[in-house]
């Protein structure tokens, strides 16, 4: 089942991808019906990054990062590396040398359901990573995995070419075919929120804004 | 047991509350006999905030944030929202719209034994949150909970109107009735520490400052 | 087995120690054959610190920091305090007063397989700490432990006088006797990486740089 | 705040207590409005035990079981010891000698938000324990705690004299004053379930038994 | 995306399914190239069960088990219920009444990436469950999910009709279309192991049985 | 540092080893001054086993069990295999074939700071294992580790030939040279406990048996 590198994958439209980045994870996640979120243990190595890109997926053996080297050759500008180990692992699959190489290919970041290292350098380089752990323990190069096959990463199914959105709230995957429709809904949501934000900031209560009082009373909410 | 909103709660004196904020969590916790601390997994979404305020408590079903909307109406200037789910949950109960509304009521922050989202926006807005998780997974509005009832939050019992103190060390609850007395002890402690700090910085050893050598020798401490 | 303070320990050469700090944890860990790393749950209280120093070790009972006071007297300039509790504990063994005292002795930082508190002050003071938890819960001074005995800290064996290297990637221990040899290998590794970094930044692939293509093909990697 | 032993506590009626034991944790928890459950990490040391009794509560320092000895003197026949440490701890607070003593006072079991040891002996003696951990690490007797004060144990508030119900599903606390009413509801629930069980066993679907089809259709459930 | 019930799914041949059960999880997992395993936190509620069946999948909101009732109608003899919540949850989705109903439809067991309750009754009934938690906290019936859609359960992708194999080692999913081929490999593996077991029991070393000595020497293994 | 097999190790006297097994983990741990315990997450795969033996240690790469095969050749009757991975790992390093081979050499059990599989077979064979996880995920045979070198296993330092004691309370290591002295203390402890057990069973309170009342009063314990 492993030992495969798929060299040609479809990607979403780059304007759609950038639009999704601008909306951010929480909005995109709502817009696609509350699906696609990776587990909450996936955290950024530094705050403030917000990216989206096409997933170049890596299925790797535990403690073996050989396939990362293989995957970097498959990167196109705007892609995001996404690695899922085949069994739970905290080792540091990725460091500053691999980031240098990935950035030379205009890779936007890494999502890894395992560990990462050299985070001080990665921060200085502005290469964002979302990971399960930060751990200096390195990996070996002994066994094959696969590149650009479907993977389950931190509990979410990711196909190569799916859009990955990542920011301080976590990581969300948008199926490639749905990306444009999800963006539309996300932007509509954002526009609607702008008006709500203005009214809430002015002191209006969401109980009134969303007309919740009647429903709450019907369910029996009691004020004492 | 749920479906109750208590509209009138007693609060501690605002000067006492602000005094407790100035002392910080570690000092307040010591001053009240090492009680009142929430579990160590409660972490701030950004470093540096130090607040105190009166607890407006929320008991909410898992994955359902309807009661947050209800609670915001009960906020007075200087309050802190404190939410405990009725079963363990990591969902993001709170985001930037709710923060906008809470800030319009001069709420000082949120303590939530569950998840929070939109943390980039919350950070930019300067609205501090202490939570168990950061997770973009949203919540629904389907079931009732209660507002301003006693709750157990991250292992600590909190009554509405108790003083919540929160900073980079975590979160501590001070029973409303004890707040003034605890502040007095905390300030005495701080004053005493100032002199100790000066002497320690000058190179004096705490072994001598606290006269520990005799007790250690009596217990059998052996220097080799 | 407890109640011992060893007053004389051997330390590595200070130039070697400083050289190891400059290399950082990930490089040092590789250079000594991927050994010596503390568990990945050991995290810095603020980003950016990178230190190395000689370990003054503390074996302490759970929730009792008396031996920290004893250990501070044993510090020499450039040392690092390293504390291992005798059973799992999250309490805050160390705060700003102890840091003041340790800094008066030119201690470079603390590694504690338990909790720390006053992290806002410690950050302001520039005293770096790597810990399992941040927790305001204080400790007592009731039972003896030992100072400068071998300890297992976060899964790694540490002898007093071993070199501790710590940065954003975690914490690594280098046996004192091996420090000079490890430094040599680490520096060689760094020099080699510099050239690799330049070539990777120029767009060369690691598949070519490390001549991996043949080995991957021999193992059956298939491009489709 | 510590150093108190309350010698006189009220207990619920023993027939009520035994009735709650017969209903079991899941039913009792439902019957009191889904409240009172301790955290899911509280697990029995052997399967099959189902008990209820009046709580004799212990607030103990981390790693110090002195107050267990004090609490045993306060036991009456049918009581359950319930221990909450004042900071997170996995040490083994309780073993076969203490169990021998507790059984001599007709104590029905132990609930401890920390560790327990001698579990092979405890199993052979038929003394049930629900704990966070099994850990041979013993405790010391150096500091005071309190007996029969309110405690938060594994996330639940427990007053001395409250009824503790424990079985393979976990542990639930029933406030003493509510015990009789909760028992009535629990028994009604059990009676109703008996009829449901018979009909479900005969092949009737809960969709029909509970008349759910209409509500599901109204919410838009689609069969394809 | 939710609110769908797929009523017709394809299932693997029942002889193949029973063959996979006989092989067990570890062998099946090896036979299909070390893929398909659910996370190691999925544990059986009692030891000794070994089952296989066709997955009837459930995607359910956190803390809401309404879709379990819907799914039971879709069960055919030999099926296994498999539930994945849409966000992390420990609540008890399933108890003895639902098990009674599922057994009336000849369901073989439940796999749930959340909690289960009434485990004493389920054990007595011989209805096996693999779960993330045992927790008496019940669920509500307020929101829709889906039945027989693809889900990610404890890190593994499961399509309705896939074969689930579960025993004391955990849970493994075999894609329906691959089931017959995987069984063939698993049985071949078992046959080969029988001969190995005989030789190892007789004292032959695996170093010789697998002819490892040469490879180990070539890699530099040194006997001292 | 890896790639070493030490063929000759010293072992403790077999009568001492068997004596330590009879005392059990909790007693042995107390007898050697509360040291030597492995982390509380190390749990037996079935209840009731109580063993002691000489450690044949294995340092293995993550997800690679090749060295287990090498270690089995080094076993003598009465030994215990003890495996520590070089980075955190949950994979199943050991199953029924390896157990068959180990039992042919009269190995008494396995302690593994990682996963184990085939636990149903291992239970049926009566081969006890203490592990961090049960996980069917297998391992590869690609990289060298070492056999009979000092390792840190689940937080405890173990030298080859040290005595391992394991039962339902966990796992404890006794340094070889200290084994006889520890046994003597453990047996003295057991003898003393027998008398205490008798008196406690007769209803005497430990407060009186250990003459604690005076010390408690001196510390200020207050009965109300």
């Amino acid at each position: 089942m492993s030992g495969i590198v798929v060299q040609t994958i479809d990607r979403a439209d780059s304007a759609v991808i950038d639009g999704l980045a601008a909306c951010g994870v929480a909005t995109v996640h709502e817009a696609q019906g509350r699906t696609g979120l990776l587990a909450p243990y996936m955290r950024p190595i530094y705050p403030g990054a917000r990216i989206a890109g096409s997933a170049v997926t890596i299925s790797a053996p535990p403690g073996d990062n050989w396939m990362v080297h293989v995957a970097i050759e498959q990167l196109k500008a705007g892609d995001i590396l996404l690695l899922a180990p085949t069994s739970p692992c905290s080792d540091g699959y990725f460091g500053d040398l691999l980031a240098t190489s990935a950035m030379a290919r205009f890779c936007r970041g890494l999502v890894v359901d395992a560990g990462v290292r050299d985070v001080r350098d990665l921060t200085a380089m502005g290469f964002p990573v979302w990971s399960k752990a930060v751990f200096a323990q390195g990996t070996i190069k002994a066994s094959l995995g696969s590149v650009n096959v479907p993977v389950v990463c931190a509990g979410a199914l990711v196909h190569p070419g799916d859009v990955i959105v990542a920011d301080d709230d976590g990581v969300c995957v948008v199926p490639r075919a749905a990306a444009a429709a999800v963006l539309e809904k996300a932007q509509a949501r954002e526009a609607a929120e702008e008006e709500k934000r203005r009214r809430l900031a002015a002191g209006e209560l969401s109980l009134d804004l969303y007309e919740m009082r009647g429903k709450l009373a019907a369910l029996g909410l009691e004020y004492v």
Side-chain angles (χ1 to χ4, degrees), chain A residues 37-196:
Chain A
L37 220 49
L38 276 66
Y41 60 71
M42 296 294 288
R43 302 301 305 139
I45 58 169
Y46 58 84
R50 173 168 282 184
I51 64 170
S54 303
V56 167
T57 65
I58 305 168
S59 171
D64 191 315
N65 79 343
W66 213 356
M67 285 304 112
V68 180
H69 296 266
V70 173
I72 285 175
E73 188 177 24
Q74 306 304 320
L75 287 170
K76 292 203 186 310
D79 286 351
I80 290 177
L81 286 167
L82 181 140
L83 185 150
T86 54
S87 77
C89 184
S90 301
D91 288 353
Y93 277 79
F94 195 92
D96 77 308
L97 282 182
L98 285 167
T100 301
S101 186
M103 288 182 86
R105 303 224 145 203
F106 303 101
C107 175
R108 290 182 177 169
L110 167 72
V111 172
V112 52
D113 189 5
V116 63
R117 61 182 188 172
D118 296 334
V119 298
R120 200 168 84 145
D121 293 330
L122 297 176
T123 302
M125 294 161 71
F127 187 84
V129 179
W130 286 257
S131 70
K132 185 173 78 169
V134 173
F135 196 25
Q137 170 85 22
T139 49
I140 59 173
K141 292 165 193 44
S143 303
L144 297 185
S146 290
V147 172
N148 280 333
V149 295
V151 294
V152 173
C153 182
L157 177 64
V158 181
H159 288 87
D162 282 351
V163 183
I164 304 300
V165 189
D167 63 18
D168 292 345
D169 286 345
V171 183
C172 189
V173 55
V174 180
R176 187 184 55 79
V182 169
L183 175 59
E184 202 171 336
K185 284 184 197 161
Q187 287 174 333
R189 203 175 164 86
E190 287 222 316
E193 287 195 351
E194 202 42 60
E195 168 65 6
K196 287 177 200 163

